[in-house]
Amino acid sequence: MQIYRKNDLILEVIEFSPEMRERGDFLIIEDVRGDLLVQVIDMEYLELPGLLEETITDLPYIEIAENGEESILLKIRDATVLKCKIRGILTDKGILTSTWIPSRVHSSISHITDGEVLRYVIGDRIKRPITIGKTRFEEEVVIDAKSLDGKLTVITGKKGTGKSHLSKIILKGLLSYGAPCLVFDINGEYVGEDTVSLTPGDTLKFTLRYVGSDSFLKILDEIYGLPSSSLWEVRRVWESLGEKITLEKLKHSIRAKSMNEHVRDAILRRLEMIEASRIFTDEPSEGIRIEEKIHSDRGVIVNLKGLPGVFRRMIVDLILTKIIYLLEKERIPPIFLFAEEAHTYHDEKFWEDLVTRMRHIGISLIFITNQPDRLSETIYRQADNVFLFNFTNENDLSFVSKASRVDSETVRSLVSTLPPRYCLILGEVVGDIPIVLSVVGDTYFKSGRTKCYFD
Ligand SMILES: Nc1ncnc2c1ncn2[C@@H]1O[C@H](COP(=O)(O)OP(=O)(O)OP(=O)(O)O)[C@@H](O)[C@H]1O
Ligand SMILES: [Mg+2]
């Protein structure tokens, strides 16, 4: 291998006897100043003036030089140009950025496996390992649970590529270290031994007293659009009932209290809609306390499968408001929140706001989505870790490549050819060196299998 030229941020390397190179592979360029790590992001044939003419006139003969080896011309014809991104210099302290370019004459180039690169980047600094997959050289890819802690992580890719599967592996890993985890599960697929599943209307019911007036009024206001004068009436009735508050008593008092008939109707209609969700109970023994579930040492799965959007949003609102309150009062430890298809139960603005405050509150966020453009660009830009599965849709590809913390050329080149169950990891979890891996097969969760009519 020989350095050919440097073209903007790409170092082009000529390889005369092509190996089984793949996009994403790493090379080391050794120079007197140090070892430069570069990553192949594309490959092309070497184009030289006159080569085309020679190729045509020589066909179909194979030239063999006198010593029995292939002629120089054949070698050149077979040579490839590896387009490589410079990732930095390998040192004992990890990979450092650098601006020098290696000598074309006095440098030598060799291959280094992804596993060896990972050892340099995160190596023996991993305290809480989670094995998530294998490199193409069959080396284990292990990440540190700590690199997700207090961090924003996005897992995205097209349908059925293995996002939820990876998310379950990460969840399982975090739970094995006793980390509190909460999952908003829209497909009812996070069912495992280490989890407790909360199904709204069944194992997930709250009393009004537990939820509190502020949360309840917020739902009437933001989700059910109750006008402020009516909200005020509800607050007054709630205060008069004090600790004895129940949905039945609230409705009864609203009916009995003297007020404008339109206001009364507006309130009662909304209370009936809320009652229909069956997530409130007047029976204290039926009502759950989210802090008790979180302290149970099992992952808390909120099963949102099959629920109308408005109920999903109400449940997510109630739970997150409570969680934030409990975290602020230090009644629960910092928590990992997995949000599958978050846009189906809250808008961009809500999630952006949570992302801005998450570190202070004590929430580590993991978004999982097959519609990358439904999470805002701000979220991708602030993401500490991104796991990218395949995208073929041009819009999705340009969206994630624009917003990601790694250059868009790398993302485009490596993601568009990934087979299912393979992903490109970017960010802190891999010391900011993009790594491609195949995700491990086993989890202890129910599979997110597509239901089919024909087997
Ligand atoms: N690495 C893997 N090894 C074995 N099976 C896998 C792997 N990744 C995914 N699967 C299986 O492939 C199927 C699809 O995976 P998964 O449900 O994770 O896809 P997804 O990307 O979340 O899809 P969707 O966008 O529809 O939610 C599931 O049956 C899952 O168990
Ligand atoms: Mg999924």
Side-chain angles (χ1 to χ4, degrees):
M1 281 186 279
Q2 282 286 315
I3 297 175
Y4 171 33
R5 63 179 175 185
K6 185 165 177 292
N7 195 351
D8 200 7
L9 294 173
I10 303 271
L11 199 69
E12 296 186 356
V13 169
I14 301 177
E15 187 163 48
F16 289 104
S17 43
E19 304 282 330
M20 293 291 285
R21 293 271 173 254
E22 291 211 3
R23 290 176 181 180
D25 280 0
F26 291 96
L27 302 175
I28 288 194
I29 306 179
E30 277 182 62
D31 178 292
V32 279
R33 281 163 292 185
D35 294 348
L36 198 65
L37 179 72
V38 300
Q39 187 170 27
V40 178
I41 62 158
D42 210 353
M43 287 159 280
E44 281 176 3
Y45 290 115
L46 176 65
E47 298 292 347
L48 288 180
L51 191 63
L52 176 65
E53 191 190 322
E54 300 223 28
T55 306
I56 292 166
T57 45
D58 282 356
L59 277 176
Y61 307 108
I62 294 174
E63 292 180 53
I64 306 289
E66 277 173 13
N67 60 5
E69 285 184 5
E70 281 186 357
S71 76
I72 299 286
L73 178 63
L74 275 184
K75 279 193 176 171
I76 293 175
R77 253 191 233 155
D78 218 13
T80 45
V81 178
L82 308 176
K83 304 208 162 197
C84 306
K85 276 263 167 189
I86 298 175
R87 298 288 176 223
I89 305 173
L90 297 182
T91 71
D92 297 345
K93 297 187 194 77
I95 293 175
L96 304 178
T97 50
S98 160
T99 51
W100 60 262
I101 56 169
S103 156
R104 264 210 291 217
V105 181
H106 301 293
S107 62
S108 66
I109 306 176
S110 54
H111 177 248
I112 176 171
T113 66
D114 303 31
E116 286 170 290
V117 172
L118 275 175
R119 269 195 293 283
Y120 268 103
V121 187
I122 38 179
D124 42 7
R125 292 192 289 281
I126 295 184
K127 292 220 178 76
R128 294 173 192 81
I130 303 177
T131 303
I132 57 167
K134 283 194 172 152
T135 70
R136 85 176 180 96
F137 305 99
E138 294 290 312
E139 302 142 309
E140 281 200 338
V141 177
V142 180
I143 60 168
D144 195 341
K146 181 75 192 135
S147 55
L148 302 163
D149 196 3
K151 301 286 153 59
L152 170 61
T153 300
V154 178
I155 304 178
T156 187
K158 71 178 183 201
K159 266 191 158 315
T161 43
K163 301 175 297 294
S164 304
H165 178 89
L166 171 66
S167 146
K168 290 170 203 168
I169 288 167
I170 294 176
L171 172 67
K172 170 98 183 123
L174 291 169
L175 291 173
S176 73
Y177 296 111
C181 296
L182 179 86
V183 183
F184 291 128
D185 176 10
I186 59 162
N187 294 315
E189 58 182 310
Y190 285 77
V191 183
E193 295 156 19
D194 305 350
T195 58
V196 42
S197 187
L198 302 180
T199 303
D202 181 15
T203 42
L204 174 58
K205 288 184 184 180
F206 295 118
T207 60
L208 256 53
R209 192 176 154 203
Y210 177 70
V211 163
S213 59
D214 287 348
S215 262
F216 194 79
L217 289 166
K218 187 165 166 260
I219 284 168
L220 281 174
D221 174 17
E222 292 178 5
I223 303 183
Y224 290 97
L226 191 66
S228 53
S229 53
S230 314
L231 285 169
W232 180 240
E233 290 288 0
V234 180
R235 186 179 285 283
R236 293 243 294 263
V237 171
W238 189 299
E239 278 165 8
S240 69
L241 288 166
E243 306 225 313
K244 292 195 290 271
I245 184 81
T246 64
L247 197 54
E248 203 44 54
K249 283 185 182 143
L250 185 62
K251 280 198 305 183
H252 182 266
S253 304
I254 299 278
R255 278 196 206 100
K257 191 168 185 285
S258 76
M259 66 176 85
N260 176 305
E261 279 311 309
H262 292 302
V263 169
R264 189 194 319 281
D265 274 359
I267 299 172
L268 287 174
R269 227 173 325 115
R270 271 126 178 136
L271 290 181
E272 266 147 30
M273 281 194 265
I274 288 180
E275 195 172 14
S277 73
R278 298 179 28 247
I279 69 155
F280 288 103
T281 176
D282 288 345
E283 186 54 58
S285 62
E286 279 182 358
I288 67 145
R289 301 179 74 77
I290 204 86
E291 57 272 47
E292 283 169 12
K293 303 290 172 192
I294 286 166
H295 284 300
S296 71
D297 283 343
R298 292 162 78 193
V300 181
I301 313 298
V302 181
N303 185 359
L304 301 172
K305 186 178 175 187
L307 291 182
V310 56
F311 288 173
R312 274 189 190 171
R313 175 160 172 200
M314 179 161 75
I315 292 156
V316 169
D317 250 7
L318 288 170
I319 292 180
L320 282 183
T321 311
K322 196 50 121 181
I323 294 269
I324 292 171
Y325 168 82
L326 293 166
L327 283 166
E328 279 167 352
K329 297 271 172 225
E330 299 192 350
R331 294 211 200 132
I332 55 170
I335 190 167
F336 290 85
L337 175 67
F338 290 71
E340 281 262 358
E341 305 300 347
H343 63 276
T344 63
Y345 38 86
H346 243 308
D347 54 20
E348 274 184 9
K349 176 144 184 348
F350 173 87
W351 292 115
E352 271 185 24
D353 180 54
L354 187 64
V355 163
T356 330
R357 298 185 302 136
M358 55 178 270
R359 290 180 181 84
H360 306 287
I361 303 172
I363 296 183
S364 306
L365 267 169
I366 296 128
F367 287 114
I368 305 114
T369 182
N370 59 34
Q371 286 179 263
D373 56 345
R374 299 302 297 271
L375 289 175
S376 71
E377 247 183 75
T378 324
I379 291 187
Y380 285 92
R381 262 195 244 105
Q382 297 196 30
D384 303 288
N385 302 303
V386 183
F387 294 80
L388 290 176
F389 286 79
N390 182 282
F391 283 113
T392 34
N393 176 314
E394 184 53 35
N395 277 346
D396 289 343
L397 199 54
S398 61
F399 186 81
V400 289
S401 35
K402 248 193 298 168
S404 141
R405 64 193 258 166
V406 164
D407 63 283
S408 69
E409 217 171 355
T410 301
V411 173
R412 276 184 166 270
S413 165
L414 301 187
V415 164
S416 58
T417 51
L418 287 175
R421 302 175 183 185
Y422 277 73
C423 75
L424 170 69
I425 319 182
L426 312 168
E428 205 167 314
V429 105
V430 283
D432 277 316
I433 303 293
I435 298 277
V436 174
L437 83 155
S438 72
V439 179
V440 287
D442 49 315
T443 64
Y444 299 87
F445 291 96
K446 196 172 144 184
S447 140
R449 208 157 45 90
T450 311
K451 274 197 194 163
C452 295
Y453 178 72
F454 298 108
D455 259 347

